[in-house]
Amino acid sequence: MNLSGVLEPRIEYAPKHYICRRAQGPLVLDGRLDKPFWSEAQWTEDFVDIEGDLRPKPAKQTRVKMLWDDEYFYFGAELIEDQIWATLTERDSVIFYDNDFEIFIDPDGDTHQYYEFEINALNTVWDLLLVQPYRDGGPPVNGWDIAGLQTAVHIDGELNRPDADNRKWSVEVAIPWASLKECAPEGRRPATGEFWRVNFSRVEWRTEVQDGEYRKVLNPETGKPYPEDNWVWSPMGIINMHYPELWGYVVFSDGEVPQDFELPEDERIKWELRKLYYRERNHYEAHGRFTAVWEQLKGEDTWTIQPEIEVTRSLFQLTAPSADGRAVYCIREDGKLWKEEAK
């Protein structure tokens, strides 16, 4: 177990939400989003910087549509771009070394056992399963593949042609529930009215044209490319996508209900427990031990919970009642969060 400190995102807890409607027919993938299949799906809000309001708004628009049916979870992404390029052609390459589009899915919201998917403009994909976030020791399972995955990319312009009239590239992805059920509650696809935690990221490198080709701009002081931009749907308040507790809420609708989403009180309780998890980890980093003293963790924040705190030399568990009092939520030193019936 990695007991080092962790960064605490300085962000108001307000993840984005999206009402994901049921698809009205089958999808024939060609990467284009201007066809009837997508007409009933709403766009997400435009992507923002991964750090949210701490950074300027992205210079190029990114947005996503989602749909679902009994077999697939569908994604359509539109990336406005005047520099459309990609180099990686082998599956499970580190795709974010190119400009890319990424999907993150945590079916049960416990921040463990979640999925990451990346795709570039060559339609090369990297799909992996995370046993737990890197802050909690990982590891990523690169050998995991989405059986039955379907993807397509459409280029509005010309790939790897700086002199072309480039406007955007778009992506279609169909992920079978048969693969996603592996980490889902009760081993099943979502039912109407349920939500999963989802987020998206767009990686954008600074490039220039050399000898008729796109090249990453090098920092003369280091000789290495400048850091990439990360633009996301639901902001993280930290340059790290692997904080699943900050991802958005995707609510699955049958077209009638639900039509809107209000953050459940239990989700705020879970967020307060998560903040205490950060602070226990950081207390250990500073003092070599966990603390059961509430005053050493709560800081100047306003809290709605009065947690039960249990610690040993190398373990801790934080517990707080659910909103209805019928259950308790628990979180431990490796970040795992779960619900138990109240005793």
Side-chain angles (χ1 to χ4, degrees), residues 17-31:
H17 70 270
Y18 183 89
I19 306 301
C20 184
R21 299 177 179 177
R22 179 175 283 274
Q24 297 303 302
L27 173 61
V28 179
L29 286 82
D30 59 7

Side-chain angles (χ1 to χ4, degrees), residues 29-155:
L29 286 82
D30 59 7
R32 300 182 65 108
L33 307 184
D34 57 354
K35 51 180 178 270
F37 178 85
W38 291 108
S39 61
E40 294 301 314
Q42 300 296 312
W43 289 109
T44 62
E45 299 91 341
D46 290 351
F47 284 21
V48 297
D49 188 88
I50 191 170
E51 294 186 87
D53 292 340
L54 298 176
R55 302 266 295 179
K57 291 184 178 181
K60 301 174 184 180
Q61 183 189 49
T62 315
R63 54 185 184 167
V64 174
K65 291 185 172 189
M66 287 172 266
L67 289 169
W68 71 300
D69 61 21
D70 291 346
E71 301 299 325
Y72 293 97
F73 195 177
Y74 300 102
F75 304 89
E78 179 185 77
L79 301 87
I80 302 301
E81 183 60 88
D82 57 348
Q83 300 178 336
I84 305 176
W85 62 274
T87 65
L88 299 168
T89 59
E90 184 176 347
R91 182 166 181 155
D92 291 341
S93 302
V94 182
I95 299 299
F96 66 80
Y97 289 165
D98 286 349
N99 286 353
D100 78 354
F101 171 72
E102 304 177 358
I103 303 170
F104 296 83
I105 304 172
D106 182 7
D108 60 7
D110 68 353
T111 76
H112 286 207
Q113 303 283 343
Y114 62 88
Y115 307 106
E116 178 177 353
F117 169 91
E118 303 185 4
I119 187 168
N120 66 7
L122 278 167
N123 197 25
T124 308
V125 305
W126 182 19
D127 47 3
L128 60 159
L129 183 152
L130 277 296
V131 176
Q132 52 194 24
Y134 294 106
R135 68 187 178 206
D136 299 312
V141 182
N142 284 311
W144 179 81
D145 286 336
I146 301 172
L149 172 71
Q150 298 183 55
T151 66
V153 171
H154 174 72
I155 307 293

Side-chain angles (χ1 to χ4, degrees), residues 30 35 47 73-74 91 93 104 110 114 121 152-153 160-161 166 180-181 232 262-263 266 268 278 308 313 322 334-335:
D30 59 7
K35 51 180 178 270
F47 284 21
F73 195 177
Y74 300 102
R91 182 166 181 155
S93 302
F104 296 83
D110 68 353
Y114 62 88
V153 171
N160 296 326
R161 283 284 306 276
N166 294 315
L180 296 177
K181 287 191 300 185
V232 306
E262 183 174 336
L263 188 69
D266 277 3
R268 295 201 178 276
Y278 301 143
E308 180 180 342
R313 179 176 297 179
S322 63
D334 68 351

